Amino acid sequence: MDQATFDASPHSLLAFLAEAWRTQRTGTLRVQREAHTQTAYLKEGRVAYASSSIPEEKFEGVLKTMGLVGDKELQLAKEKKEGKESLGKALMRLGFISNQDLYRAAVQQTQIITASLVAQGGQTLFEEGRLPDNLADLKIPAEQMLRELTQRMSDRASVLDALGGTGATLMRSATVPSGVTFNADERALLDQLSGPVRVDRLTDGMNGFEDARRLYFLLLTHAIEPAPLGPADADPNRAAGPTATT
């Protein structure tokens, strides 16, 4: 069983997850930061489930944040758990939550944990091919998770850096990945990229930051790619077209 250990900087794990999706990797991704551990379980490139030792990211904390149960229901469920029954199953058996509530909370927890480990990074271990027995697979589509993670990025500089900087040039990939569904905003950006376009021209509108995050999602899914460096890009003193100032 292969293992890889590395120190992941903030947001670098997003690129790792995108590559894991493209190569259909399966395994356990653990991120250690101070006294806490966050774990994402990858199955054929998808984040099937995630867990965390951070109190706010534990399942009962997510249930409370979503307003599904309170302390009284949680305490009663803990007292009446049968054998190795999970807390969620006990809550459902006692009638405090539905099966749909249980699934929604598990998806929310997995998205919160994955977003947190991506945003903060830390000492990282990936164990190729290793998954726990009886792993709950939430079957969250990989593209949905990648879109969610890019839209959660709050640092504009990090997003622009991931795109190669404001002066970088992007273009539509020759082969758009199959199986990925793009929303209307993403398709609008793709329509602008029939040829090479600079990042600053694509992100200078009222929704510039949102478009930058959409571009990063498109880059992660290989719908777009860096354009070959042209003469205008190589010469920093050359005007950048109609948007340049004198």
Side-chain angles (χ1 to χ4, degrees):
M1 186 178 300
D2 294 333
Q3 294 187 354
T5 303
F6 53 96
D7 190 19
S9 59
H11 303 300
S12 64
L13 282 173
L14 186 48
F16 176 88
L17 290 176
E19 184 62 26
W21 163 62
R22 287 193 294 269
T23 55
Q24 300 286 287
R25 296 178 76 174
T26 292
T28 297
L29 180 71
R30 288 192 175 86
V31 178
Q32 183 77 33
R33 194 170 53 256
E34 297 178 349
H36 296 294
T37 302
Q38 297 166 307
T39 307
Y41 303 100
L42 275 60
K43 189 173 182 179
E44 297 177 348
R46 295 179 293 101
V47 178
Y49 190 73
S51 61
S52 173
S53 66
I54 299 174
E56 297 80 7
E57 296 177 353
K58 289 187 175 181
F59 191 63
E60 60 187 84
V62 174
L63 288 168
K64 289 174 64 177
T65 299
M66 294 178 69
L68 295 173
V69 295
D71 291 330
K72 182 178 178 180
E73 290 83 2
L74 286 169
Q75 185 58 40
L76 185 59
K78 290 176 182 178
E79 293 172 358
K80 293 188 175 294
K81 280 174 58 178
E82 298 177 350
K84 295 183 178 180
E85 185 180 37
S86 69
L87 177 62
K89 293 289 187 181
L91 286 165
M92 193 167 62
R93 177 173 52 80
L94 293 169
F96 294 137
I97 62 174
S98 66
N99 186 58
Q100 183 63 23
D101 291 333
L102 183 64
Y103 175 76
R104 285 175 48 231
V107 169
Q108 178 83 336
Q109 180 194 30
T110 293
Q111 290 176 332
I112 289 171
I113 294 170
T114 308
S116 176
L117 67 85
V118 162
Q120 300 182 66
Q123 190 62 33
T124 302
L125 170 68
F126 183 68
E127 298 175 280
E128 190 84 44
R130 180 174 181 177
L131 290 176
D133 295 333
N134 303 316
L135 174 71
D137 185 355
L138 300 176
K139 299 189 183 301
I140 305 171
E143 66 179 84
Q144 176 183 326
M145 178 65 78
L146 289 174
R147 183 180 286 112
E148 172 77 15
L149 293 174
T150 53
Q151 289 305 307
R152 283 176 179 261
M153 293 180 72
S154 57
D155 181 24
R156 182 185 179 92
S158 295
V159 178
L160 292 174
D161 184 61
L163 292 172
T166 56
T169 306
L170 301 171
M171 62 184 296
R172 190 165 181 162
S173 298
T175 305
V176 177
S178 61
V180 180
T181 302
F182 300 110
N183 62 34
D185 291 323
E186 292 157 0
R187 289 197 301 270
L189 283 171
L190 284 172
D191 288 342
Q192 296 181 57
L193 286 159
S194 56
V197 184
R198 282 173 51 122
V199 169
D200 53 3
R201 294 188 182 182
L202 294 163
T203 59
D204 63 356
M206 289 181 59
N207 299 316
F209 186 29
E210 288 82 356
D211 283 338
R213 291 186 292 200
R214 293 182 187 111
L215 285 169
Y216 189 31
F217 169 73
L218 294 173
L219 188 65
L220 288 172
T221 57
H222 281 198
I224 63 175
E225 60 188 16
L229 191 65
D233 303 302
D235 183 1
N237 297 314
R238 183 169 176 175
T243 59
T245 58
T246 56

